[in-house]
């Protein structure tokens, strides 16, 4: 039973712990997954937001220059005199600007055109200067007339000076360089080839000894290429803005051109291609459907990047190590793990305590039932809880008390003689069984004697004076035996027979006791007035002798024989008298 | 005793413990979970839906009532249907059934019998019946705001209804809900073609009557059978039309149209490159149009059509010295029309030599070229007694676009070469129209685009009688030719009719030099990469129908 109770406790504890563990694991995993998802989203949002706000900021910087130049271009376009162009044969002279088809002006026409463009340029320059002055980012501004339209008025180039404002610079000789010489004449030929307003660069301009960005608008009127106008911006101004971008602890931003060439990186040299540095990032950046985020590894460090395209076609990439991005998430995971461990411990302890409260009283009950089985009815059960186990404990206690009373009653009825109050024959049987066990056991030596008594004349008293006097006679004889053998158990073994088993001092003093018995019996009988008040018993004793007695029955037989001998002797004495 | 003891203890206690522990566990973890909760963004907003709409640009119309406007037809073209439509075919355009499933014309060309398509409903769910058609056509004549009464002028009883002498259009007879006949007072081959114009759109009688003056202005009162439904009109900003989910010809290919109004200050090129506009008419751009046409960047995005319209110089044939045909001839010879076309359209168009432009049914390819011959022009002027030239006023309304102003400047410059001292006079649009109708303008430059594909469209606007020709300040003097022109519309044989019109055209332009034809232009749209299926309308209007245009993906 105890084993089974342990099993209940083990099972329930195991089941409960498993349930707690499973729940904590499940809920913890979900919480971590949600936390991770959230953290991922937020980090992506943060990076995207940073990237797009920086793109916006840089775009504003670039757009400001665009708008200024567009204002100039509108003026340049509207103020072209169609009549002059018509008379000079310029309308409809289609061509790229390097060779105007069908443009063969007369000298007069060419002179008129040259003189017109001179005025036109000087008006435009005034307008241009006003616009450029209002934008501190403009380094230089310029206009170039298609060299095939005018021989003398080729354009202007103004450069910002520290103190004096914009000052005229000598024009680059277009004929002096090949059209594909980007660093010298790219500003003229690239927009011309594209046929539309264009951002150029960043590129190193030898004339200015600076890395610059250019915005150039080609001008067309009546289908004819008139020339270009443009502004240059200092690229350093842009890189300073990008260099200042910090994401988390060590995140940064860099710029690539539309072909993936790095044009500014706080750590890498410009001119490298993204494909050489990191092909994952390069592939993702040129997937036009997306602006990130993408995960990639660089220099053994896992990173995330987002990107955006600027109005000039450059791409701003913002990157940060995943470790830093995930810092928040890691902390959250730690919190969740700690919370889960705390909950797990708390609830396991709680479950164990509950188990103890339930199985503790059960164990006591099990112990008590074992005690009860052994015939020990003095149980001590302390549990008094107001639950099923409490009720069970109280019922068990009640039951054991009642059992004790019942057994006690049963004992007194089974082993006591009603008439005399001494032990009956059944008690003798139990007693002799114990003695027999003792005899059988070779370990100890058993010493005892058995004295048997038989009341004489009981039948005569019953017949002459009634059964009540006969009972009185037996009681008197029994009391007398008990008084003499006060230290030895007395048994009524038959209607008029008694037996006493002597051990200890009574065995040693057996002879004296017998003498005392006879003397006292004589004294009593001398003063007795009725026959039923006398003590008239035959007596026989046999001491246990290991050499002849195999058991108590053997001793008893010899005592009986002695008693009958005594009886015959006393009968002869009375007849002789 | 042992078994019941276990049973009594075990069962309730274990379940209690488990329940107790699990409850406590979840109670403990719930706040943790909720702390990590995600936020869910509900909301496919209207703005997101509109991202899937086709985004176009057009000028804001005064109304979308097709009977009351003369331009900016985008909304009426898409909200309403006509009985018949025009479809571009190889070598020309042809009529196709629309609300009318079929039609027949009687042998004398006077009675048209129409069968309406079954099961067509207006966007409010009302069924289309012959009564709606009758109402729509009568309203062209009875609505005081209607500017297209001429569509019905050939119908029997049109004059009486117009004058208020009749309550109904006599020639219109309803047979049943799906059948009706229209009887003309005289044969007119062009009548059926006129029914393809936006003004011939079919309106819902009940809602249109109920709406009164709100029709064409209020979103919910403007009901048609067309592929799109007017859903929002933000004045000065945009008109939004969503797809008509019950459209009788099947759901349109795009879920809606967002029509932005062109503000002069906005840079349309930037809006297009930023993806805010899907389809952009390059005619709206001046300087910027060059950037789309040059280089390879946008080559694949250009969709070309033909503007079936003619740009011409109107000369007042009744005013001296323009009443002398030699003077008018000299002025025609004095214009280098090739240069003018280059200046106005970078050469993208055709030099015209008559009245009916390239692309119109009846256009005559074989008309002799009017040469640029300033020497001959001077001779003619001298012959007419103007060897020293003369003064001429070209009148422009102040609403004239920059490109037309440039054109006028160039014309003036060219004429100065032959001694004609030209002055450009700018007047406001109302004054311009009033003086033009009074026949007072000496000279102006204009473009007239075909509403329907028949030469009659041009002739009836300028040369069909003294009233018409004076009303446009051309004041053509040859009444016999004009009578022939009026009669030509009743010629039943199509070929003969076209030939007659071509003879009249040659007489007016190449003999009488009543006007100087300049050119017709290409109509070029730049179309975003996400757009598929866009075609320019047969006549090259900036306004198009978009039910077959598909959006390949939503804007990011």
């Amino acid at each position: 039973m105890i084993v089974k109770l342990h099993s209940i406790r083990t099972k329930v504890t195991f089941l409960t712990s498993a349930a707690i563990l499973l729940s904590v694991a499940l809920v913890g995993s979900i919480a971590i997954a949600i936390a991770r998802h959230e953290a991922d989203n937020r980090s992506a949002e943060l990076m995207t937001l940073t990237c797009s706000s920086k793109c916006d900021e840089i775009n504003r910087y670039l757009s400001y220059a665009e708008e200024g130049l567009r204002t100039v271009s509108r003026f340049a376009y509207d103020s072209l005199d169609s009549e002059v162009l018509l008379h000079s044969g310029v309308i409809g002279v289609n061509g790229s600007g390097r060779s105007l088809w069908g443009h063969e002006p007369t000298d007069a026409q060419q002179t008129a055109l040259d003189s017109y463009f001179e005025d036109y340029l000087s008006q435009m320059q005034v307008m241009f200067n006003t616009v450029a002055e209002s934008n501190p980012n403009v380094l230089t501004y310029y206009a170039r007339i298609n060299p095939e339209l005018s021989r003398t008025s080729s354009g202007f180039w103004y450069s910002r000076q520290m103190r004096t404002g914009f000052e005229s610079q000598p024009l680059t000789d277009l004929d002096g360089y090949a059209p594909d010489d980007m660093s010298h004449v790219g500003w003229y030929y690239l927009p011309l080839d594209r046929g539309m307003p264009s951002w150029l660069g960043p590129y190193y301009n030898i004339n200015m000894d600076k890395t610059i960005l250019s915005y150039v608008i080609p001008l067309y009127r009546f289908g004819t290429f008139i020339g270009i106008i443009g502004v240059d911006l200092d690229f350093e101004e842009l890189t300073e803005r990008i260099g200042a971008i910090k994401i988390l602890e060590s995140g940064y931003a860099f710029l690539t051109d539309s072909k993936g060439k790095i044009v500014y990186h706080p750590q890498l040299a410009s001119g490298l291609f993204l494909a050489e540095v990191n092909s994952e990032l390069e592939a993702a950046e040129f997937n036009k459907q997306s602006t990130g985020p993408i995960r990639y590894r660089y220099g053994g460090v896992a990173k995330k990047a987002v990107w955006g395209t600027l109005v000039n076609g450059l791409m701003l990439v913002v990157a940060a190590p995943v470790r830093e991005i995930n810092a928040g998430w890691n902390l959250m995971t730690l919190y969740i793990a700690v919370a889960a461990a705390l909950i797990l411990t708390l609830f396991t302890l709680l479950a164990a305590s509950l188990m103890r409260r339930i199985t503790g009283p059960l164990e006591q009950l099990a112990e008590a039932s074992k005690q009860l089985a052994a015939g020990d009815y003095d149980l001590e059960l302390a549990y008094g809880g107001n639950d099923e186990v409490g009720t069970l404990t109280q019922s068990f206690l009640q039951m054991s008390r009642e059992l004790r009373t019942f057994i006690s009653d049963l004992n007194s009825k089974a082993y006591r003689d009603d008439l005399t109050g001494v032990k009956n024959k059944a008690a003798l049987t139990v007693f002799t069984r114990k003695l027999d066990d003792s005899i059988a056991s070779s370990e100890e030596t058993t010493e005892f004697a058995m004295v048997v008594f038989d009341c004489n004349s009981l039948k005569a008293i019953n017949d002459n004076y009634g059964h009540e006097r006969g009972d009185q006679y037996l009681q008197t004889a029994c009391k007398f035996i008990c008084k003499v053998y006060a230290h030895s158990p007395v048994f009524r073994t038959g209607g008029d027979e008694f037996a006493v088993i002597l051990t200890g001092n009574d065995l040693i003093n057996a002879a004296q006791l017998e003498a005392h018995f006879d003397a006292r019996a004589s004294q009593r009988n001398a003063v007795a007035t009725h026959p039923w008040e006398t003590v008239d018993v035959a007596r026989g004793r046999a001491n246990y002798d290991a050499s002849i007695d195999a058991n108590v029955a053997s001793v008893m037989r010899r005592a009986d024989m002695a008693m009958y001998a005594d009886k015959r002797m006393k009968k002869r004495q009375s007849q002789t008298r | 005793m042992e078994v019941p003891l276990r049973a009594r203890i075990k069962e309730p206690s274990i379940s209690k413990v488990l329940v107790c522990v699990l409850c406590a566990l979840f109670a403990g973890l719930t706040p943790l979970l909720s702390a990590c909760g995600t936020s869910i963004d509900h909301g496919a907003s209207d703005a997101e839906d509109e991202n899937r709409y086709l985004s176009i640009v057009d000028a804001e119309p005064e109304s979308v009532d097709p009977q009351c406007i003369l331009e900016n037809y985008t909304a009426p073209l898409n909200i309403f249907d006509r009985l018949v439509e025009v479809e571009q075919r190889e070598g020309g355009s042809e009529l196709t059934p629309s609300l009318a499933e079929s039609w027949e014309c009687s042998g004398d060309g006077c009675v048209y019998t129409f069968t309406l398509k079954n099961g067509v409903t207006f966007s409010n769910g009302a069924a289309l019946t012959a009564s709606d058609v009758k109402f729509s056509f009568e309203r062209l004549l009875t609505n005081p705001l209607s500017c297209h009464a001429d569509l019905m002028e050939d119908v029997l009883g049109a004059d009486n209804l117009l004058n208020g002498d009749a309550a109904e259009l006599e020639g219109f007879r309803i047979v049943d809900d799906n059948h009706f006949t229209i009887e003309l007072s005289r044969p007119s081959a062009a009548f059926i073609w006129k029914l393809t114009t936006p003004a011939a759109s079919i309106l819902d009688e009940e809602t249109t009557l109920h709406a009164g003056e709100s029709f064409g202005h209020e979103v919910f009162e403007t009901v048609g059978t067309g592929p799109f439904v007017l859903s929002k009109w933000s004045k000065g900003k945009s008109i939004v039309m969503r797809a008509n989910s019950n459209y009788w010809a099947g759901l349109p290919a795009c879920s809606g149209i967002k029509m932005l109004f062109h503000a002069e200050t906005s840079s349309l090129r930037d809006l297009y490159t930023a993806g805010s506009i899907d389809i952009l008419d390059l005619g709206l751009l001046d300087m910027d149009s060059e950037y789309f046409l040059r280089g390879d960047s946008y080559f694949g995005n250009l969709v070309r059509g033909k503007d079936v319209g003619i740009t011409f110089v109107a000369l007042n044939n009744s005013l001296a010295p323009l009443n002398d045909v030699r003077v008018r001839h000299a002025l025609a010879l004095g214009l280098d029309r090739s240069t003018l076309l280059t200046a106005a359209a970078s050469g993208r168009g055709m030099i015209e030599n008559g009245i009916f432009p390239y692309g119109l049914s009846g256009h005559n390819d074989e008309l002799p070229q009017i040469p640029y011959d300033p020497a001959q022009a001077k001779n003619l002027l001298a012959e007419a007694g103007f060897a020293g030239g003369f003064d001429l006023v070209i009148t422009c309304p102040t609403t004239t676009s920059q490109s037309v102003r440039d054109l006028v400047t160039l014309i003036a410059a060219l004429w100065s070469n032959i001694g004609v001292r030209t002055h450009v006079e700018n007047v406001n649009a109302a004054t311009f129209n009033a003086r033009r109708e009074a026949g007072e303008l000496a000279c102006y430059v204009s473009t007239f685009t075909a509403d329907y594909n028949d030469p009659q469209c041009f002739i009836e606007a300028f040369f069909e009688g003294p009233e018409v020709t004076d009303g446009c300040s051309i004041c053509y003097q040859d009444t016999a030719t004009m009578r022939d022109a009026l009669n030509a519309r009743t010629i039943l044989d199509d070929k003969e009719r076209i030939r007659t019109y071509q003879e009249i055209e040659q007489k007016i332009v190449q003999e009488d030099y009543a006007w100087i034809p300049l050119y017709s232009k290409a109509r070029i749209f730049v179309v975003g990469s996400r757009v598929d299926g866009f075609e320019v309308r047969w006549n090259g209007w900036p306004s198009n129908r978009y039910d077959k245009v598909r959006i390949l993906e939503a804007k990011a």
Side-chain angles (χ1 to χ4, degrees):
Chain A
M1 184 142 179
I2 286 170
V3 171
K4 285 186 177 173
L5 278 173
H6 271 312
S7 165
I8 290 174
R9 186 174 178 169
T10 313
K11 278 183 191 165
V12 173
T13 309
F14 174 74
L15 200 67
T16 312
S17 303
I20 296 169
L21 193 65
L22 201 70
S23 312
V24 169
L26 187 74
V27 173
S29 309
I30 294 171
I32 287 171
I34 293 171
R36 179 176 194 161
H37 182 247
E38 275 296 288
D40 262 8
N41 278 357
R42 284 186 194 160
S43 68
E45 258 171 40
L46 170 76
M47 290 182 72
T48 309
L49 199 69
T50 308
C51 183
S52 70
S53 75
K54 287 298 166 188
C55 280
D56 286 350
E57 184 190 317
I58 296 167
N59 280 341
R60 272 197 300 278
Y61 167 80
L62 298 172
S63 298
Y64 190 40
E66 270 187 16
E67 277 161 27
L69 194 63
R70 206 175 291 153
T71 307
V72 178
S73 75
R74 167 103 9 226
F75 172 82
Y77 177 86
D78 287 345
S79 60
L80 271 170
D81 189 325
S82 52
E83 201 172 333
V84 172
L85 296 180
L86 176 77
H87 289 315
S88 316
V90 166
I91 289 177
V93 284
N94 253 328
S96 66
R98 288 175 212 144
S99 59
L100 292 178
W101 312 322
H103 178 50
E104 288 166 3
T106 61
D107 282 350
Q109 279 179 325
Q110 189 62 62
T111 309
L113 208 53
D114 289 344
S115 138
Y116 169 71
F117 276 121
E118 199 170 316
D119 286 350
Y120 176 73
L121 283 169
S122 73
Q123 280 176 35
M124 199 207 295
Q125 192 272 326
V126 174
M127 168 82 177
F128 220 150
N129 201 69
T130 314
V131 170
E133 288 278 10
S134 69
N135 184 348
N137 303 316
V138 171
L139 283 182
T140 68
Y141 65 87
Y142 41 88
R144 287 305 288 263
I145 296 298
N146 178 354
E148 287 177 300
L149 289 183
S150 171
R151 290 177 198 145
T152 57
S153 306
S154 44
F156 54 78
W157 179 30
Y158 281 78
S159 172
R160 190 187 291 273
Q161 303 300 311
M162 287 292 273
R163 296 202 182 127
T164 51
F166 284 98
E167 279 189 10
S168 181
Q169 304 293 319
L171 290 178
T172 308
D173 177 15
L174 288 174
D175 293 333
Y177 302 98
D180 59 357
D181 185 347
M182 176 68 202
S183 60
H184 282 104
V185 290
W187 54 269
Y188 180 82
Y189 286 109
L190 272 176
L192 184 57
D193 287 344
R194 291 184 194 163
M196 56 196 296
S198 302
W199 277 99
L200 311 176
Y203 61 99
Y204 178 71
N205 186 293
I206 295 172
N207 304 326
M208 292 162 66
D209 187 25
K210 255 184 187 303
T211 301
I212 55 169
L213 290 169
S214 303
Y215 184 62
V216 183
I217 298 182
L219 286 175
Y220 299 93
R221 191 71 160 119
F222 306 125
T224 302
F225 173 60
I226 304 295
I228 60 105
I229 56 172
V231 290
D232 294 334
L233 305 180
D234 192 350
F235 183 56
E236 207 177 310
E237 178 81 28
L238 199 66
T239 58
E240 275 172 18
R241 286 165 192 261
I242 293 164
I245 298 174
K246 289 276 175 282
I247 306 284
L248 301 166
E249 279 170 49
S250 62
Y252 51 78
F254 62 93
L255 267 184
T256 75
D257 70 9
S258 60
K259 294 185 177 72
K261 189 172 84 176
I262 293 172
V263 294
Y264 168 76
H265 195 293
Q267 291 157 15
L268 295 172
S270 301
L272 278 171
F273 275 89
L274 203 52
E276 299 169 57
V277 179
N278 193 293
S279 54
E280 287 172 273
L281 185 57
E282 196 260 349
E285 192 191 8
F286 293 100
N287 168 13
K288 298 291 178 199
Q289 303 300 316
S290 164
T291 57
I294 188 215
R295 242 178 124 100
Y296 67 102
R297 287 194 82 77
Y298 176 64
V301 180
K303 294 191 173 194
K304 261 188 190 178
V306 296
W307 55 90
T309 307
L310 300 174
V311 291
N312 62 349
L314 296 183
M315 297 177 92
L316 180 71
V317 185
V318 171
V322 171
R323 180 178 46 78
E324 289 172 22
I325 294 167
N326 286 354
W329 171 64
N330 290 340
L331 193 65
M332 181 83 90
T333 309
L334 183 69
Y335 285 155
I336 291 170
V338 168
L342 279 177
I343 289 167
L344 189 65
T345 314
L346 182 72
F347 283 90
T348 308
L349 287 175
L350 196 67
S353 150
L354 269 170
M355 277 302 100
R356 252 201 310 282
R357 283 188 64 194
I358 293 165
T359 56
L362 277 181
E363 277 171 19
Q364 280 183 14
L365 271 173
E367 203 54 47
S369 63
K370 201 173 146 194
Q371 212 180 325
L372 201 61
D376 181 356
Y377 303 105
D378 292 328
L379 304 180
E380 280 190 21
L381 290 171
Y383 187 68
N386 186 22
D387 55 16
E388 293 96 326
V389 181
T391 311
L392 179 70
T393 307
Q394 293 313 313
S395 306
F396 195 79
L397 271 177
Q398 176 75 24
M399 187 189 72
S400 76
R401 268 184 230 117
E402 281 170 9
L403 206 57
R404 180 169 53 188
T405 313
F406 175 68
I407 297 287
S408 167
D409 283 359
L410 213 56
N411 276 351
S412 62
K413 280 199 171 50
Y415 298 107
R416 248 344 116 182
D417 176 50
D418 275 351
L419 184 68
T420 60
V422 297
K423 292 183 174 71
N424 61 12
K425 193 168 181 181
L428 181 66
T429 310
V430 172
F431 203 93
T432 54
R433 202 182 295 147
K434 283 183 185 167
L435 277 175
D436 279 341
D437 288 346
S438 177
I439 290 164
S441 145
S442 56
E443 285 173 14
E444 49 187 304
T445 50
T446 310
E447 286 185 339
F448 69 94
M450 181 169 270
V451 186
V452 294
F453 301 87
D454 185 281
C455 295
N456 299 322
S457 319
L458 179 62
K459 190 171 180 326
I461 292 168
N462 279 341
D463 293 347
N464 297 332
Y465 307 106
H467 282 279
E468 279 185 14
R469 295 304 178 202
D471 288 347
Q472 223 173 348
Y473 173 63
L474 283 174
Q475 284 168 335
T476 305
C478 184
K479 273 182 195 159
F480 194 82
I481 294 166
C482 288
K483 229 173 226 171
V484 174
Y485 294 98
H487 303 292
S488 296
V490 178
F491 304 88
R492 187 182 172 197
T493 57
D496 54 356
E497 289 173 4
F498 294 90
V500 179
I501 292 172
L502 305 180
T503 55
N505 285 339
D506 278 8
L507 176 64
I508 294 163
N509 303 325
Q512 284 99 312
L513 286 171
E514 282 161 7
H516 181 62
F517 185 91
D518 291 342
R520 291 282 304 269
S522 299
Q523 284 171 8
R524 184 175 177 93
N525 291 344
V527 296
T529 50
H530 304 291
W532 64 82
E533 289 170 348
T534 62
V535 175
D536 179 11
V537 293
R539 189 186 69 233
R541 174 164 61 90
N543 280 32
Y544 166 71
D545 182 350
S547 60
I548 52 171
D549 295 317
N551 51 27
V552 179
S554 163
V555 181
M556 199 166 175
R557 254 191 320 274
R558 288 196 294 115
D560 270 342
M561 283 160 67
M563 184 270 287
Y564 283 118
D566 184 45
K567 194 174 208 86
R568 277 190 305 273
M569 189 189 74
K570 280 184 178 156
K571 203 168 188 179
R572 273 195 307 269
Q573 281 174 358
S574 88
Q575 282 166 356
T576 56
R577 237 182 276 144
Chain B
M1 193 165 172
E2 180 187 310
V3 172
L5 175 72
R6 275 181 66 191
R8 269 164 56 200
I9 291 174
K10 187 180 167 185
E11 286 184 4
S13 300
I14 287 178
S15 58
K16 256 187 199 171
V17 168
L18 284 181
V19 168
C20 167
V21 166
L22 289 179
C23 287
L25 190 68
F26 280 106
L29 283 183
T30 304
L32 198 64
L33 274 175
S34 62
C36 309
T38 51
S39 62
I40 298 161
D41 186 17
H42 301 280
S45 64
D46 287 352
E48 282 172 37
D49 287 343
E50 284 178 17
N51 273 345
R52 294 209 62 86
Y53 283 13
L54 183 74
S55 188
I56 59 162
V57 176
D58 202 351
E60 182 167 19
E62 284 172 33
S63 159
V64 298
D65 181 343
Q67 301 185 346
C68 305
I69 52 174
L70 288 160
E71 55 188 351
N72 309 325
Y73 287 126
T74 301
L77 276 175
N78 290 284
I79 295 169
F80 303 97
D81 286 314
R82 276 57 57 190
L83 291 176
V84 286
E85 298 280 0
V86 190
E87 244 178 58
Q88 196 83 356
R89 290 278 191 274
E90 196 73 25
S93 55
E94 67 177 44
L95 292 170
T96 57
S98 180
L99 295 178
E101 191 174 68
S102 61
W103 61 94
E104 276 172 25
C105 182
S106 61
D108 63 357
C110 283
V111 181
Y112 282 85
T113 306
F114 289 91
T115 303
L116 286 179
K117 204 161 251 141
N118 252 324
V120 176
T121 56
F122 290 92
S123 59
N124 63 357
L128 168 75
T129 64
S131 173
D132 293 311
V133 182
K134 182 167 186 267
F135 164 78
S136 305
F137 289 175
E138 286 179 346
R139 187 172 178 269
L140 279 167
L141 296 161
T142 56
N143 182 1
L145 298 175
S146 163
C147 42
H148 295 279
D150 56 305
L151 286 187
M152 291 292 122
E153 66 188 347
D154 291 331
V155 180
L156 185 67
D159 287 346
N160 289 341
L161 184 60
L162 191 62
N163 301 332
D165 295 339
E168 285 184 275
L169 187 57
E170 189 188 342
F172 198 109
R173 293 187 201 97
I174 295 175
V175 178
D176 60 32
D177 275 357
N178 277 1
H179 297 88
F180 59 91
T181 61
I182 297 175
E183 188 179 341
L184 307 182
S185 54
R186 56 190 170 186
S188 171
F191 175 71
I192 189 78
W193 288 92
K194 288 184 177 182
L195 299 185
T196 65
T197 61
S201 296
I202 306 306
L203 318 177
D204 177 30
E205 181 175 10
E206 195 183 334
T207 38
T208 309
L209 278 174
H210 177 263
E213 285 184 6
S214 306
F215 182 77
H217 296 278
E218 293 297 329
V219 168
F220 296 107
E221 310 263 35
T222 308
V223 166
T225 60
F228 296 93
V229 179
L230 186 63
S231 63
K232 194 162 80 184
W233 186 342
S234 312
K235 293 282 175 192
K237 200 177 152 210
S238 65
I239 279 180
V240 179
M241 291 169 271
R242 65 180 149 76
N244 178 359
S245 52
N246 297 318
Y247 187 49
W248 56 270
L251 202 62
C254 65
S255 51
I257 304 170
K258 190 171 186 186
M259 180 172 116
L260 305 169
F261 303 144
H262 175 211
E264 288 216 14
T265 50
S266 68
S267 170
L268 292 174
R269 190 174 72 87
D270 286 351
L271 287 175
Y272 174 83
T273 49
S276 305
I277 300 172
D278 289 313
I279 299 178
L280 176 59
D281 172 13
L282 294 189
L284 293 173
L285 311 178
D286 41 29
M287 177 172 76
D288 284 352
S289 71
E290 295 281 355
Y291 302 135
F292 287 105
L293 294 167
R294 285 172 191 270
D296 298 335
S297 302
Y298 294 101
F299 184 76
N301 296 86
L302 299 179
V303 176
R304 289 155 199 274
K306 178 75 189 66
D307 193 344
V308 186
I310 187 164
T311 301
F312 60 93
V313 180
L315 302 171
N316 192 323
N317 288 223
S318 67
L319 291 180
L322 299 175
N323 54 359
D324 186 329
V325 67
R326 290 167 297 184
V327 173
R328 297 200 297 272
H329 189 184
L331 291 176
L333 294 175
L335 290 183
D336 176 0
R337 295 177 304 145
S338 168
T339 295
L340 294 179
L341 175 62
T342 304
S346 297
R348 294 174 182 87
M350 311 283 291
I351 302 291
E352 296 288 351
N353 295 295
I355 297 170
F356 315 131
Y358 183 85
L360 187 81
S361 169
H363 168 76
N364 187 357
D365 257 346
E366 294 175 0
L367 279 175
Q369 284 286 329
I370 302 169
Y372 171 48
D373 190 346
Q376 176 63 9
K378 280 184 186 165
N379 289 340
L380 283 168
L381 284 180
E383 259 181 54
F386 296 101
F390 63 91
D391 292 291
L392 179 65
V393 174
I394 303 182
T395 308
C396 287
T398 45
T399 50
T400 304
S401 68
Q402 181 61 39
S403 60
V404 176
R405 279 184 193 286
D406 287 338
L407 182 68
V408 170
T409 310
L410 290 176
I411 288 170
L414 287 165
W415 278 343
S416 70
N417 287 345
I418 57 169
V420 177
R421 296 173 295 278
T422 311
H423 312 281
V424 180
E425 172 195 42
N426 293 303
V427 298
N428 68 46
T431 309
F432 179 88
N433 288 335
R435 286 179 55 194
R436 194 176 74 138
E437 278 171 34
E440 291 172 1
L441 298 181
C443 178
Y444 62 90
V445 176
S446 183
T447 300
F448 185 86
T449 299
D451 286 339
Y452 57 93
N453 195 2
D454 195 278
Q456 186 187 323
C457 180
F458 287 75
I459 293 295
E460 73 178 354
F462 299 101
F463 301 107
E464 236 182 28
E467 205 175 307
V468 171
T469 193
D470 292 356
C472 58
S473 279
I474 291 177
C475 307
Y476 184 54
Q477 300 295 302
D478 186 343
T479 48
T481 303
M482 286 195 284
R483 197 170 47 246
D484 290 347
L486 188 59
N487 290 334
R489 55 161 77 189
T490 62
I491 301 171
L492 288 176
D493 183 79
D494 235 23
K495 279 186 182 161
E496 195 199 331
R497 198 169 61 89
I498 296 292
R499 194 177 46 77
T500 308
Y501 273 132
Q502 287 179 342
E503 285 168 7
I504 291 165
E505 177 190 31
Q506 191 156 7
K507 168 83 169 67
I508 292 172
V509 178
Q510 302 235 345
E511 290 177 27
D512 297 336
Y513 295 96
W515 82 359
I516 306 168
L518 297 179
Y519 51 78
S520 60
K521 290 197 287 186
R523 175 74 63 179
I524 305 172
F525 289 84
V526 60
V527 175
S529 322
R530 72 168 191 157
V531 173
D532 183 45
F534 173 70
E535 279 179 16
V536 183
R537 192 176 159 84
W538 72 272
N539 58 357
W541 269 350
S543 303
N544 288 281
R545 203 164 139 105
Y546 297 103
D547 55 325
K548 294 194 173 64
V549 178
R550 203 151 59 89
I551 303 282
L552 299 176
E553 76 209 44
K555 271 179 219 173

